[in-house]
Amino acid sequence: MARTKEFDPDAALQSALELFWRRGYEATSMADLVEHLGIARASLYATFGSKRELYLKALERYGEQRGPRIVEELSQPGPALPAVRALVHRFAEEAACDELRRGCFVTNTAVELAAHDPDTARQVEESWHSLETALTSALMRARAQGELPAERDPVALARMLLVFLQGLRVVGRVSRGPGRLRDAAAQALALLD
């Protein structure tokens, strides 16, 4: 008879995500995971595989939790530019008010691992592609609806905003005041006028 799991794998994955997000991949050992999750090492390996596999699953979970919300916000009917502006403001505020200085898990992964880990690079790129696509679509609608000047290139603007939003997340991990991030957001949004 197979033994039943003595823990909830879904809750364990969420808890691992939180630990990796707070500490990063390299600074989190299997011993840290065992202690934080309260799960035996053998059970962790049997359920999730290696630390790296657990990290990749946590990164995927993060994307599943965050990505659809952004796409939904940017694809609402009606004027599109207010949704883009609201997204930029929200990213700036989240970065400015992040007391734990965690930043964005995807951005953190890009900085820490993506340059030398193709699997994490693929997940980071998928996340960024999804955001860029949603921004491009919203900006194309904004231009078609007369909210954005006809000479503006929605693809180039979306790419600029993608890079800017990721930069907000990085700077927000270190910057101690909201002024820098709010001023930068205002300047980025001025490009949409």
Side-chain angles (χ1 to χ4, degrees):
M1 179 187 301
R3 277 182 74 192
T4 59
K5 291 199 182 313
E6 297 174 8
F7 66 94
D8 177 356
D10 191 59
L13 179 58
Q14 186 64 36
S15 187
L17 185 163
E18 295 294 330
L19 184 61
F20 281 131
W21 189 5
R22 187 171 64 247
R23 298 183 66 183
Y25 179 78
E26 294 296 336
T28 304
S29 68
M30 276 306 280
D32 295 330
L33 288 162
V34 166
E35 181 180 333
H36 182 75
L37 302 177
I39 299 169
R41 184 180 299 258
S43 295
L44 267 177
Y45 283 121
T47 303
F48 299 110
S50 67
K51 173 182 140 180
R52 183 175 173 282
E53 290 171 305
L54 177 55
Y55 188 89
L56 289 170
K57 288 174 184 161
L59 183 58
E60 184 176 342
R61 163 70 63 88
Y62 182 86
E64 291 166 355
Q65 292 173 342
R66 306 278 173 150
R69 174 183 173 200
I70 292 171
V71 171
E72 182 180 327
E73 290 171 359
L74 291 174
S75 61
Q76 293 295 314
L81 215 46
V84 173
R85 290 179 180 286
L87 181 74
V88 171
H89 282 299
R90 190 178 87 234
F91 269 58
E93 287 305 307
E94 287 175 357
C97 299
D98 184 2
E99 292 180 15
L100 297 176
R101 303 275 182 232
R102 292 185 307 179
C104 168
F105 192 38
V106 172
T107 306
N108 297 348
T109 298
V111 171
E112 182 182 13
L113 298 173
H116 57 82
D117 184 326
D119 293 325
T120 58
R122 180 186 49 75
Q123 284 194 32
V124 165
E125 186 55 44
E126 285 173 5
S127 175
W128 289 349
H129 178 74
S130 176
L131 176 56
E132 183 180 321
T133 300
L135 284 165
T136 299
S137 178
L139 291 167
M140 289 176 113
R141 281 191 1 261
R143 190 172 69 178
Q145 295 171 170
E147 302 169 70
L148 190 65
E151 69 275 4
R152 297 297 168 94
D153 180 353
V155 174
L157 281 172
R159 288 179 172 169
M160 183 280 300
L161 288 172
L162 169 71
V163 172
F164 173 74
L165 294 172
Q166 299 315 302
L168 277 178
R169 300 296 200 180
V170 173
V171 173
R173 289 196 66 183
V174 179
S175 194
R176 292 291 176 208
R180 176 182 288 153
L181 299 173
R182 288 178 182 153
D183 288 349
Q187 290 303 307
L189 289 172
L191 297 172
L192 301 177
D193 294 331

